[in-house]
Amino acid sequence: MKILITRKIPKSGIELLLKKGYELEINQQDRILSKNEIIDGLKEKDGLISLLTDNINKEVINSEPKLKMIANYAVGYNNIDINAATQKKIPVSNTPDVLTDTTAEMAWALLFSVSRRIVEGDNFTRKGKYKGWGPMLMLGQDISNKTLGIVGTGRIGSAFGLKSKGFKMNVLYFDEKINETLEKELNAKKVEKSELIKQSDFISIHLPLNKSTFHFIGTNELKNMKNNAILINTSRGPIIDEIALTKALKDKWIFGAGLDVYENEPNINPKLLNLNNVVIQPHSASATFQTRSNMAIIAAKNMIEGLTGKIPTNCVNKNIYK
Ligand code: GLV
Ligand code: GLV
């Protein structure tokens, strides 16, 4: 079996595939491949390990008749045309669970950074601007006893919520389903979107990107937030209207934002980059040595299951087996 891996991933996963005797073609350049390069690389391949930066559309999926398994090296899989894969009965897998805590930790890191102006304070101090303790210097926002609004309480949103325990927060959440764990552990309250927007001091987004979540947060929502509100996004950029957010931050409709993802990655609205009340990260919420290694293992295991005729453990289009 031959597999294309569109970028170097940790060796923990590579070793599993090699042990199986698979022939691997790994992009050796540290950059994102173009669509045509992926199509070229896919020739005669049985499997594809793709990244969230690869647009695996219908044309790519249909380009190689031998293709029988796609393992995405990410929990999100909005970069893959699942319908096109399903039509060809190609299973697609993702890497859930192993990155849940890691991603939730990044959401908290951003929440703390924005609340206490950590990046701004660090820059200020390094530049020699710190001339002594000041009663009004670098004032931020308290976290304990405030209202935390979680949008989307799947694996990551739930883990994020549970980590608030030490901060005695009033937890609200928005989701289609009741989250018994959050209700039991935190006394969390399931509310309508508008209520969460109006009442929360912190709003953290944990939704998958799809047609119904595109621009879930736009001008209206931002205008209805508290002006001390802090918005965190570690999910997918297009869930927030980035132009509206830039205006909201510039005109101080809200206190700040912490972002790991952007609407048109890797491009970021240049106006956003000039603002002090936003902390920006390079889509690195799952980026720890341990988690990236575990993601490689999960992707490899799913690939092996798919290529040996088993239903991949983390198959996202299981309906192909019906
Ligand atoms: C990262 O964004 C992922 O989906 O794994
Ligand atoms: C992501 O995988 C989630 O369920 O939050």
Side-chain angles (χ1 to χ4, degrees):
M1 296 278 186
K2 296 193 174 116
I3 298 167
L4 173 68
I5 305 180
T6 61
R7 195 138 171 200
K8 269 194 203 163
I9 60 170
K11 64 178 191 317
S12 52
I14 303 293
E15 281 165 0
L16 286 178
L17 296 167
L18 289 174
K19 222 162 73 189
K20 204 73 197 154
Y22 295 160
E23 204 178 295
L24 309 182
E25 179 177 327
I26 307 172
N27 168 21
Q28 295 297 333
Q29 304 171 63
D30 195 21
R31 65 170 177 86
I32 297 166
L33 295 180
S34 69
K35 182 186 72 184
N36 287 334
E37 287 172 318
I38 295 176
I39 289 177
D40 272 351
L42 264 184
K43 289 208 175 93
E44 303 288 314
K45 299 295 188 302
D46 303 277
L48 166 64
I49 295 189
S50 53
L51 308 186
L52 63 95
T53 42
D54 302 325
N55 179 8
I56 309 301
N57 62 16
K58 194 171 180 157
E59 185 189 348
V60 174
I61 290 169
N62 290 343
S63 71
E64 176 46 55
K66 279 195 174 163
L67 184 63
K68 37 189 154 304
M69 174 66 202
I70 302 174
N72 208 38
Y73 183 72
V75 68
Y77 47 87
N78 54 288
N79 59 304
I80 299 179
D81 185 338
I82 299 294
N83 284 333
T86 299
Q87 266 174 26
K88 295 203 70 192
K89 299 230 184 290
I90 298 174
V92 176
S93 65
N94 67 342
T95 61
D97 305 320
V98 290
L99 49 60
T100 298
D101 281 323
T102 311
T103 305
E105 285 167 11
M106 176 62 95
W108 277 104
L110 287 169
L111 192 154
F112 284 118
S113 302
V114 180
S115 303
R116 303 307 302 273
R117 302 170 63 179
I118 301 292
V119 175
E120 207 185 335
D122 182 283
N123 282 331
F124 176 90
T125 311
R126 279 173 204 271
K127 283 190 183 133
K129 292 187 186 169
Y130 172 54
K131 304 292 182 207
W133 187 90
M136 301 305 281
L137 179 62
M138 239 5 110
L139 305 190
Q141 301 290 343
D142 274 335
I143 296 167
S144 297
N145 302 304
K146 292 274 200 76
T147 296
L148 180 65
I150 311 169
V151 178
T153 52
R155 292 166 290 236
I156 299 170
S158 298
F160 170 79
L162 290 173
K163 292 185 197 304
S164 74
K165 252 191 172 170
F167 296 96
K168 302 171 295 241
M169 300 177 91
N170 168 34
V171 179
L172 306 178
Y173 71 97
F174 172 79
D175 200 278
E176 286 166 10
K177 286 187 253 170
I178 291 179
N179 190 307
E180 281 169 17
T181 307
L182 292 185
E183 298 206 352
K184 191 166 143 263
E185 298 285 323
L186 304 170
N187 212 9
K189 206 170 134 212
K190 182 174 183 293
V191 294
E192 294 298 323
K193 176 181 177 184
S194 58
E195 196 180 332
L196 183 140
I197 296 280
K198 283 200 189 109
Q199 295 188 13
S200 300
D201 298 300
F202 304 95
I203 298 175
S204 189
I205 312 287
H206 301 281
L207 295 170
L209 174 63
N210 54 43
K211 279 198 196 93
S212 72
T213 61
F214 178 79
H215 282 191
F216 183 89
I217 302 285
T219 301
N220 265 338
E221 288 77 16
L222 289 158
K223 281 204 161 140
N224 284 324
M225 287 179 195
K226 290 183 170 180
N227 54 26
N228 66 287
I230 290 174
L231 177 64
I232 306 296
N233 191 10
T234 52
S235 60
R236 284 293 180 266
I239 293 173
I240 298 178
D241 176 344
E242 198 168 292
I243 292 177
L245 176 62
T246 305
K247 181 154 175 47
L249 290 167
K250 186 168 163 286
D251 295 347
K252 309 273 162 66
W253 304 350
I254 63 174
F255 183 78
L259 306 174
D260 189 45
V261 289
Y262 307 90
E263 202 165 343
N264 301 299
E265 289 181 27
N267 301 318
I268 303 177
N269 183 347
K271 289 191 186 137
L272 201 56
L273 299 178
N274 288 328
L275 298 172
N276 276 334
N277 54 348
V278 57
V279 173
I280 49 179
Q281 286 294 298
H283 199 151
S284 52
S286 69
T288 64
F289 291 103
Q290 299 79 17
T291 288
R292 288 288 164 84
S293 172
N294 288 331
M295 286 166 66
I297 291 172
I298 299 278
K301 283 187 171 165
N302 277 281
M303 177 57 70
I304 294 167
E305 288 168 330
L307 292 184
T308 53
K310 299 194 185 91
I311 302 178
T313 305
N314 306 107
C315 184
V316 299
N317 57 343
K318 286 204 170 107
N319 51 335
I320 64 170
Y321 295 102
K322 287 208 180 109

